[in-house]
Amino acid sequence: MSNDTEAPLPEGWEMRTSRSTGMTYFLNMYTKKSQWERPEVPAEPGEVRCSHILVKHSDSRRPSSWREDHIKRTKEEALDLIKNYRKQIVSNDASFTDVAMKCSDCSSAKRGGDLGMFGRGQMQQAFEEEAFKLKVGQLSKPIETESGFHIILRTV
Ligand SMILES: O=C(N[C@H](Cc1nc2ccccc2[nH]1)C(=O)O)c1cc2ccccc2s1
């Protein structure tokens, strides 16, 4: 049992004292919601900012992009490509931004893959799940949505 006043709180929470009762409560600094129970896990941010690289394939929801009017590559080829892009980035042979600008099949390619800030409910489910799991600065493994295969970089 951790002592309420000593152990550090998980990220995103602050301890407060109720003006009316003097009781300790805990404030989620992102959602501004409070609770009596001491939080055990970091507070989830209301919004995150991510950049991504998307490789579409012939079965993508919209098999077209600024790079290619009619995308014919197979799902397997797309997965292979996104894995190779990830390897280049992780080994520092290429920057995320350069790969996004040259190779991403999303219109965000023009912005180095930046999607801006978004909250839950705005992006396709699988993308959202992965984005909200990432720590700031972390690069995801390849994930699949109806648009194709993505790698996601959380920036904020
Ligand atoms: O949905 C978009 N683009 C689609 C491809 C796509 N599908 C996605 C699914 C999840 C997250 C980003 C995604 N981008 C397209 O160009 O066919 C977006 C483009 C942009 C550009 C700037 C900011 C947000 C967005 S969302």
Side-chain angles (χ1 to χ4, degrees):
M1 177 68 182
S2 63
N3 175 323
D4 261 1
T5 52
E6 272 150 34
L9 279 173
E11 204 269 334
W13 290 93
E14 280 197 5
M15 198 183 290
R16 291 282 195 277
T17 303
S18 162
R19 273 199 281 269
S20 50
T21 67
M23 281 176 65
T24 299
Y25 66 95
F26 301 92
L27 185 65
N28 177 321
M29 299 308 286
Y30 296 115
T31 62
K32 300 304 176 201
K33 286 200 171 72
S34 60
Q35 63 184 53
W36 294 114
E37 309 76 29
R38 183 185 184 82
E40 302 292 323
V41 295
E44 176 173 290
E47 288 193 321
V48 295
R49 183 172 185 176
C50 294
S51 296
H52 79 132
I53 295 167
L54 169 62
V55 179
K56 292 186 174 182
H57 48 76
S58 57
D59 292 335
S60 288
R61 177 188 280 184
R62 190 173 73 88
S64 170
S65 77
W66 65 275
R67 302 184 77 244
E68 211 173 340
D69 280 347
H70 186 183
I71 293 171
K72 297 184 182 64
R73 66 173 76 92
T74 64
K75 272 182 84 166
E76 195 183 12
E77 286 163 345
L79 181 55
D80 205 43
L81 268 174
I82 198 81
K83 283 179 179 174
N84 285 331
Y85 294 153
R86 189 177 195 280
K87 272 200 193 89
Q88 289 171 37
I89 292 161
V90 168
S91 60
N92 242 345
D93 287 338
S95 78
F96 183 96
T97 304
D98 285 350
V99 176
M101 293 187 88
K102 291 190 182 95
C103 310
S104 180
D105 282 316
C106 175
S107 56
S108 60
K110 300 290 166 265
R111 310 152 34 121
D114 180 32
L115 295 169
M117 299 293 290
F118 56 91
R120 284 192 177 275
Q122 291 182 245
M123 300 292 178
Q124 288 177 49
Q125 189 65 32
F127 188 97
E128 172 190 298
E129 276 318 306
E130 188 65 21
F132 275 81
K133 270 185 201 150
L134 295 172
K135 291 184 176 60
V136 175
Q138 192 180 358
L139 178 64
S140 79
K141 61 187 186 322
I143 60 116
E144 184 174 10
T145 70
E146 289 176 18
S147 296
F149 291 100
H150 313 246
I151 48 176
I152 307 167
L153 177 67
R154 181 169 168 205
T155 53
V156 169

